[in-house]
Amino acid sequence: MDMQNTYLDQLLEAGLLFDTGIDGLYGRSGTFENVIERFEALVTRYGSADGAEVIRFPPGMSRPYFEKSGYLKSFPQLAGTVHCFCGDDKGHSRIIECLEAGEDWTGQQEASDIVLTPAACYPLYPLIAKRGRMPEGGRLFDLQSYCFRHEPSKEPTRMQMFRMREYVRAGTPEEVVEFREKWLERGKALITSLELPMDVDVANDPFFGRAGRMMKVNQRDQGLKFELLVPVNSEENPTACLSFNYHQNHFGHTWGIETSTGAEAHTACVGFGLERVTLALFRHHGLDVEKWPASVRKVLWG
Ligand code: AMP
Ligand code: ZN
């Protein structure tokens, strides 16, 4: 058995996660959720003085907005869409027949207006644009959402449904770059306070296909994405627990977001993988939270 299976098995045996029959889709215990809650409170402590506007979107977003966002150009392999039955009695009978015969019944489904949110910030940009030209100093948001990515895996850190806490900044290039620098430092301090080993490195998103190769190279060369990595499944392949993304004018251009002077806005976001940080804590401090170092417990529970 490999290491990845071992850690997942330990989490299931300890009752921290619950099997649902699908890789990357788990139930969470009260203890697991409590750690997530306390970690989120810690993030809020680091970010609260900035006065971000808090918004919580549901884990589904508008399909038209999703189509316009460009996600399907870059990551078609990760997207998840919501389909529903919109037929009549005949269609219903067909579903029942298929189920009874053990055949595929999903042909009766049609795409709905909702897709699963791929990253917490995707529903935000059209909302910023709709409010019109931004005030001087731009805008800052505090988001959290369940996200979906179709990447089934036995690694507990690679889930299909997981939560992302984000701060998102929209403004001038200077404002946005300053925000990202500030959160890089805060992220390191925060993870250090939890006594987790880490490294920060330049990274790239998993852009799809042949065209995606160039996009990966560009993203790395321009230093648009950084990740804070913590070894969880293995020492050799540490896990990205936080990410720091500078989108330049991508979303500003796509949605027509304007700064106070009418220029195309730049945006950046810092994302905290809530399950990943929690899994890193259980990995390094043990599966019993009562036995975690007193110093770590104090940071989380006060
Ligand atoms: P990304 O948009 O890929 O930078 O993701 C933002 C954060 O979400 C990452 O830094 C991870 O901590 C977390 N994350 C991304 N993909 C997954 C996944 N499949 N399972 C759990 N957490 C994830
Ligand atoms: Zn984001």
Side-chain angles (χ1 to χ4, degrees):
M1 195 179 282
D2 62 21
M3 282 297 288
Q4 289 156 12
N5 260 331
T6 309
Y7 186 38
L8 177 58
D9 286 344
Q10 285 172 14
L11 292 159
L12 295 170
E13 273 163 32
L16 289 165
L17 293 183
F18 299 94
D19 186 17
T20 67
I22 302 290
D23 288 342
L25 197 66
Y26 307 106
R28 283 92 165 137
S29 74
T31 304
F32 194 95
E33 287 301 292
N34 185 238
V35 173
I36 289 204
E37 202 181 300
R38 297 316 305 161
F39 176 71
E40 275 217 77
L42 179 63
V43 173
T44 302
R45 257 182 272 157
Y46 275 77
S48 62
D50 302 341
E53 180 178 348
V54 177
I55 306 185
R56 297 290 179 262
F57 291 104
M61 67 175 283
S62 144
R63 177 157 65 93
Y65 285 171
F66 177 75
E67 288 160 358
K68 190 169 163 178
S69 75
Y71 195 83
L72 289 169
K73 259 188 221 153
S74 301
F75 314 110
Q77 78 282 20
L78 299 177
T81 54
V82 176
H83 286 61
C84 301
F85 172 62
C86 309
D88 53 13
D89 282 339
K90 208 168 126 228
H92 182 210
S93 302
R94 186 73 199 123
I95 291 179
I96 308 276
E97 279 163 26
C98 288
L99 284 173
E100 279 170 1
E103 288 168 8
D104 178 24
W105 60 276
T106 57
Q108 297 297 318
Q109 299 284 98
E110 286 175 32
S112 76
D113 290 338
I114 296 175
V115 299
L116 299 176
T117 304
C121 60
Y122 269 72
L124 177 69
Y125 304 109
L127 184 88
I128 307 179
K130 242 193 249 173
R131 286 183 178 174
R133 194 174 275 195
M134 292 195 294
E136 214 183 312
R139 292 193 190 275
L140 176 68
F141 297 90
D142 166 340
L143 310 177
Q144 196 257 54
S145 176
Y146 253 103
C147 299
F148 174 86
R149 292 184 187 176
H150 187 236
E151 45 183 2
S153 167
K154 293 268 186 212
E155 282 180 23
T157 49
R158 191 168 296 282
M159 295 185 173
Q160 297 202 65
M161 286 185 153
F162 57 94
R163 271 158 294 177
M164 216 184 270
R165 172 76 180 271
E166 285 199 38
Y167 282 98
V168 185
R169 184 82 169 94
T172 63
E174 296 74 29
E175 286 164 346
V176 162
V177 167
E178 189 206 340
F179 160 86
R180 193 177 69 153
E181 291 306 312
K182 187 169 65 186
W183 270 107
L184 254 167
E185 291 315 310
R186 283 178 180 172
K188 285 193 259 183
L190 201 153
I191 295 298
T192 302
S193 77
L194 294 173
E195 299 176 28
L196 295 171
M198 59 155 181
D199 222 344
V200 171
D201 206 356
V202 62
N204 62 265
D205 287 312
F207 293 102
F208 186 78
R210 205 182 296 187
R213 264 184 252 157
M214 265 324 285
M215 294 167 90
K216 286 182 196 170
V217 171
N218 280 346
Q219 196 182 30
R220 287 189 91 87
D221 285 356
Q222 296 184 57
L224 299 180
K225 185 180 186 80
F226 285 89
E227 288 176 338
L228 188 153
L229 305 148
V230 182
V232 182
N233 303 303
S234 71
E235 287 291 332
E236 309 81 63
N237 289 309
T239 301
C241 291
L242 276 59
S243 62
F244 310 86
N245 305 288
Y246 178 27
H247 318 118
Q248 296 173 305
N249 67 340
H250 172 74
F251 292 114
H253 180 75
T254 302
W255 295 105
I257 304 170
E258 287 181 357
T259 67
S260 62
T261 61
E264 222 165 51
H266 280 223
T267 60
C269 65
V270 50
F272 298 83
L274 298 180
E275 283 80 5
R276 284 192 177 176
V277 171
T278 302
L279 290 167
L281 285 163
F282 281 115
R283 182 58 154 181
H284 288 275
H285 302 316
L287 298 182
D288 184 352
V289 288
E290 304 290 333
K291 294 189 181 144
W292 285 7
S295 44
V296 172
R297 289 183 55 82
K298 187 154 187 296
V299 171
L300 288 171
W301 284 277

